[in-house]
Amino acid sequence: MIDLMNCDNPVRVGVTGIRGRMGSSLVHICHQDPRATLTLAVDRPGSAVLGRDAGEVSGLSTLGVLISDDLAAGMHDIDVLVEFTHALPAISHLDMCLRAGKPIVLGPTGFTPDQKEMILDASRRIPVVFAPNMSVGVNLTLKLLQMTARIIGEYTDIEIIEAHHRHKLDAPSGTALRMGEVIAEELGIDLSSSAVYGREGIGAERQQGTIGFSSVRAGDIVGEHTVMFAAEGERLEITHKASSRLTFARGAILAAKWLVDKPAGLYDMQDVLGLK
């Protein structure tokens, strides 16, 4: 059961990248949720929406929250920051949360190993939810993948196929990589040495114990992931499809409400959902 006893009073939420698609979705979810309230909206310096009401920019009524480019100045107005911009600004925003002693929910993907180490270091002093995908459905899928890998992973060929919109920069997606990590951990193998990223030309036969990744970037696909466990005579496919970014925003706000009274540490959505 998800523990939301800390949410009797609305959690004051700050959102970065307010003009983006995820930023707008987060505003909508805060507006719908009586246990979360938007109190800080931030966008990049020079943005055309600075000084405007976050609700109006997101297609809602006036919320009384004006969009700013000064995250540090607004830290006293929030209980938790929800960060969905890109890896580089996210690290800067993480540092501001560290200085202010505020929890942070980190949703971007594409972090370098050094940046991930910075996140781990920050989590020793503040609570951090860091997950490549905040969707409740995706995180239930991760649990199913863990169970499936345990039972049939050793004798099946495993392929991960993901598809996203044409504007997504990183490939494979952070979610696809996390799926691979979950499977590899269950099988006791190292993903960095067993992953195969795309195939071309004539090569050797598929090696046992490898995990294949394929990426599609097209149109306005929000996010689709299929993991195939293929053996001779049968194939099991586990698929998750997102049709709206609201599913990610809903999970992120759930994580924000869960995080506010937690001790310093590095958490993920499996922690938030009580799946561990």
Side-chain angles (χ1 to χ4, degrees):
M1 181 181 230
I2 303 169
D3 179 15
L4 291 177
M5 293 300 292
N6 57 325
C7 297
D8 292 336
N9 297 316
V11 173
R12 300 178 303 160
V13 178
V15 173
T16 58
I18 206 74
R19 192 184 184 187
R21 288 166 292 188
M22 270 305 301
S24 177
S25 296
L26 288 162
V27 174
H28 278 259
I29 296 300
C30 282
H31 184 61
Q32 297 170 8
D33 193 332
R35 293 178 297 184
T37 183
L38 181 74
T39 54
L40 178 64
V42 177
D43 210 59
R44 58 179 175 78
S47 170
V49 299
L50 295 180
R52 294 179 58 188
D53 187 273
E56 292 178 347
V57 168
S58 300
L60 299 170
S61 59
T62 300
L63 297 179
V65 180
L66 300 183
I67 301 172
S68 166
D69 62 358
D70 193 347
L71 174 60
M75 280 292 183
H76 62 280
D77 293 324
I78 67 171
D79 298 315
V80 57
L81 181 70
V82 179
E83 160 61 46
F84 264 96
T85 57
H86 299 286
L88 189 58
I91 291 298
S92 175
H93 298 158
L94 172 68
D95 184 63
M96 293 182 196
C97 285
L98 192 59
R99 294 172 187 269
K102 299 289 185 177
I104 184 171
V105 175
L106 278 172
T109 58
F111 289 101
T112 67
D114 286 344
Q115 289 169 334
K116 289 181 179 179
E117 189 62 33
M118 293 177 189
I119 295 169
L120 177 61
D121 184 63
S123 73
R124 297 186 178 101
R125 296 167 55 188
I126 59 172
V128 177
V129 167
F130 177 39
N133 194 307
M134 301 287 176
S135 160
V136 172
V138 162
N139 283 278
L140 290 173
T141 300
L142 293 176
K143 194 67 176 180
L144 292 173
L145 292 175
Q146 182 184 44
M147 296 168 57
T148 306
R150 183 185 311 143
I151 297 169
I152 65 173
E154 288 189 359
Y155 67 85
T156 54
D157 295 328
I158 302 170
E159 294 286 322
I160 301 174
I161 305 100
E162 57 96 352
H164 285 83
H165 54 87
R166 65 192 307 272
H167 302 291
K168 186 169 178 60
L169 301 179
D170 55 312
S173 70
T175 300
L177 290 172
R178 182 58 191 147
M179 288 175 167
E181 290 170 353
V182 166
I183 294 168
E185 289 166 7
E186 190 62 38
L187 295 177
I189 61 178
D190 179 18
L191 184 64
S192 63
S193 59
S194 61
V196 177
Y197 299 106
R199 296 179 177 86
E200 181 181 12
I202 300 173
E205 288 186 0
R206 192 186 203 284
Q207 298 298 305
Q208 186 69 25
T210 58
I211 299 176
F213 290 85
S214 300
S215 297
V216 175
R217 296 290 176 267
D220 61 354
I221 302 171
V222 174
E224 298 182 3
H225 296 83
T226 294
V227 182
M228 179 188 302
F229 295 84
E232 293 187 8
E234 67 175 352
R235 181 174 75 247
L236 173 63
E237 295 182 3
I238 298 175
T239 296
H240 178 273
K241 295 183 180 182
S243 58
S244 168
R245 287 176 181 80
L246 289 175
T247 185
F248 309 124
R250 189 173 293 109
I253 297 303
L254 179 66
K257 294 184 295 185
W258 180 88
L259 189 63
V260 288
D261 66 350
K262 294 298 181 290
L266 187 61
Y267 305 100
D268 61 20
M269 286 300 291
Q270 301 287 302
D271 295 304
V272 175
L273 298 173
L275 294 175
K276 288 187 173 178

